[in-house]
Amino acid sequence: MANRAQIASKSSALIAMIADEDTITGFLLAGVGNVDLRRKTNYLIVDSKTTAKQIEDSFKEFTSREDVAIVLISQYVANMIRFLVDSYNKPVPAILEIPSKDHPYDPAHDSVLSRVKYLFSSESVASSGRH
Amino acid sequence: MLELEKKDKEGWISIIAYDRRNTSVEYIDNRRGMKFSMAEEKEAANTQVSELSTTDLKEKDENTLNFLDSVDNYLILIESLTSTLRQGWLELASARHSMGGSRVNTSLLTLKHHSAATKVEVNYDNGGSITKSPQLTLCKWASSDKKDSSFEDENIDNKESTKESNGSETTASPIKTENHLQKERGKVLSMFGALVSPKLRASQLSFETALDTLVEIANVRSSILETHHALLQHKVKPTKSTEE
């Protein structure tokens, strides 16, 4: 029971999405849309009326679901819940920040690359300390 | 050679000789007539320490290279993804322009129960390693119908044999697979009406390509996090060895 998520060596899982309407429409065209018996979807369409709380709740829900392997989130949406995205460190589901139509990708805000910067900045501090 | 004479209470002299060149220390006890040498043991210890250091360094170098390679791949894939998504959005906008805004929007999406045709296969078989993350593989257009489940297996088999033979295609009914793919794509497009713009079909293909890139990005992300963790472990090790 403790390892129920990893009993099978291979399992099929969904791609969840938290993004703007056009991005969601596009990926739904690619066949990733899923609606379960309780009419719960694997996506959240973010518009001007969507609150940070709704985004936060959706993020927490998708990252705790065992049948989700990847969570796609538009970077500008991730910036609204940056503290939550940066504190997430599980391998699965993988959180991928993607650009949106109106907000280009900024590597400075990417949670994975910010860890890279931290590693290099701590190395440079350590080496400057030795001299 | 540094020599130090030491006289004990009974007058016996012991000599401690220290050779800086090879850091050997000799202790001659004249009372007991014994001679001790620490050079060999120290040399053996030094050799052992240097061997360990070399191995550690090699591992650290390998991890650093893997880390930098993964970061480079990540950035290249992100760039590719941005370009593919931009194309997809443009084609979607063109389709909306030709079909009308009311025909291409999310309000048409049905909330009837249906499972995703495109899923991700998570492979937890990591060779027994605790730290290795699972590998993700995209399974496109796998039908939920039992009749068509054989096409899903074919898709997976085709992908595996493609990986083994470095891009050469198998001859296992590619026409049937292609027909199945077209059928599944058509099912999704039918949400937007019976007749859809070719731009909408093109947009569908662009977003499919974007999904392939995204799964690659997910695997590279795992690699970055693994090597990042390994490098942090290496950072802790040198502090322990200096304390010893």
Side-chain angles (χ1 to χ4, degrees):
Chain A
M1 284 298 276
N3 293 328
R4 57 188 172 159
Q6 296 192 12
I7 290 172
S9 61
K10 283 187 187 180
S11 63
S12 190
L14 301 170
I15 300 172
M17 297 167 287
I18 306 173
D20 57 278
E21 185 176 354
D22 277 1
T23 307
I24 298 279
T25 306
F27 283 118
L28 292 183
L29 278 171
V32 298
N34 188 83
V35 182
D36 65 9
L37 290 165
R38 288 174 295 173
R39 299 181 85 179
K40 278 184 101 174
T41 60
N42 62 329
Y43 55 88
L44 172 72
I45 299 168
V46 177
D47 54 21
S48 53
K49 294 172 190 170
T50 315
T51 61
K53 181 79 174 58
Q54 285 174 294
I55 296 166
E56 208 179 295
D57 291 342
S58 278
F59 182 83
K60 284 177 182 171
E61 189 209 322
F62 292 149
T63 50
S64 59
R65 278 173 66 165
E66 287 171 5
D67 61 344
V68 171
I70 296 176
V71 178
L72 302 180
I73 181 166
S74 291
Q75 196 176 49
Y76 83 97
V77 176
N79 287 340
M80 293 162 75
I81 54 165
R82 182 51 64 193
F83 63 99
L84 209 56
V85 174
D86 283 352
S87 62
Y88 179 87
N89 55 10
K90 291 183 210 166
V92 175
I95 311 299
L96 304 181
E97 295 181 35
I98 58 174
S100 68
K101 217 172 51 167
D102 304 319
H103 300 87
Y105 176 77
D106 182 4
H109 287 129
D110 190 302
S111 62
V112 173
L113 295 179
S114 59
R115 290 183 211 206
V116 174
K117 272 195 326 188
Y118 166 73
L119 188 71
F120 284 130
S121 64
S122 63
E123 284 282 356
S124 61
V125 164
S127 61
S128 63
R130 282 188 224 119
H131 296 298
Chain B
M1 180 75 81
L2 180 70
E3 285 189 13
L4 181 69
E5 283 186 15
K6 190 183 170 187
K7 204 172 182 179
D8 63 6
K9 288 175 188 175
E10 292 174 35
W12 289 99
I13 296 169
S14 57
I15 299 166
I16 302 169
Y18 173 64
D19 186 353
R20 280 182 194 152
R21 282 174 299 174
N22 58 13
T23 63
S24 62
V25 177
E26 276 185 16
Y27 173 72
I28 302 163
D29 189 336
N30 284 320
R31 178 162 68 160
R32 298 186 185 86
M34 292 164 82
K35 186 179 171 182
F36 302 97
S37 174
M38 285 169 63
E40 288 170 6
E41 287 174 12
K42 204 166 183 180
E43 204 177 299
N46 278 343
T47 311
Q48 201 178 14
V49 166
S50 63
E51 276 174 3
L52 282 171
S53 302
T54 311
T55 314
D56 266 352
L57 274 172
K58 273 185 186 172
E59 208 181 307
K60 189 177 177 184
D61 284 345
E62 202 182 315
N63 281 329
T64 308
L65 276 172
N66 287 339
F67 178 72
L68 293 172
D69 273 343
S70 300
V71 170
D72 185 49
N73 282 343
Y74 187 84
L75 291 169
I76 291 169
L77 287 168
I78 291 277
E79 188 63 41
S80 168
L81 174 75
T82 305
S83 162
T84 310
L85 284 175
R86 202 178 293 132
Q87 190 181 346
W89 289 320
L90 199 59
E91 284 157 351
L92 195 63
S94 298
R96 190 177 282 127
H97 177 74
S98 59
M99 291 168 64
S102 58
R103 283 191 63 194
V104 183
N105 62 60
T106 49
S107 61
L108 298 167
L109 299 174
T110 176
L111 285 177
K112 272 200 287 189
H113 165 62
H114 68 273
S115 54
T118 299
K119 288 185 179 180
V120 172
E121 194 177 85
V122 186
N123 188 357
Y124 290 102
D125 185 17
N126 51 20
S129 165
I130 301 164
T131 53
K132 218 160 166 53
S133 303
Q135 280 296 302
L136 304 174
T137 316
L138 187 67
C139 295
K140 279 198 259 187
W141 302 116
S143 174
S144 55
D145 294 342
K146 286 182 186 177
K147 283 179 193 176
D148 294 334
S149 63
S150 59
F151 289 113
E152 179 181 346
D153 294 336
E154 263 187 51
N155 273 343
I156 294 168
D157 287 340
N158 281 342
K159 276 184 187 165
E160 285 172 356
S161 57
T162 306
K163 279 180 196 170
E164 285 167 7
S165 57
N166 290 330
S168 62
E169 292 177 6
T170 62
T171 53
S173 57
I175 299 167
K176 270 189 182 174
T177 313
E178 191 55 39
N179 284 343
H180 166 74
L181 289 176
Q182 292 302 331
K183 189 179 158 190
E184 291 297 322
R185 285 187 182 121
K187 268 189 205 172
V188 174
L189 285 170
S190 63
M191 277 196 301
F192 299 95
L195 287 171
V196 295
S197 162
K199 286 290 182 186
L200 195 65
R201 293 180 194 276
S203 171
Q204 187 179 47
L205 291 173
S206 294
F207 278 96
E208 277 184 41
T209 309
L211 279 177
D212 288 322
T213 313
L214 280 164
V215 171
E216 276 186 68
I217 290 173
N219 287 326
V220 168
R221 172 189 173 271
S222 301
S223 171
I224 290 174
L225 293 176
E226 267 169 41
T227 48
H228 175 259
H229 179 75
L231 284 174
L232 286 177
Q233 295 284 322
H234 276 292
K235 275 181 128 184
V236 170
K237 267 187 194 172
T239 55
K240 283 186 183 173
S241 63
T242 50
E243 280 169 13
E244 286 167 10

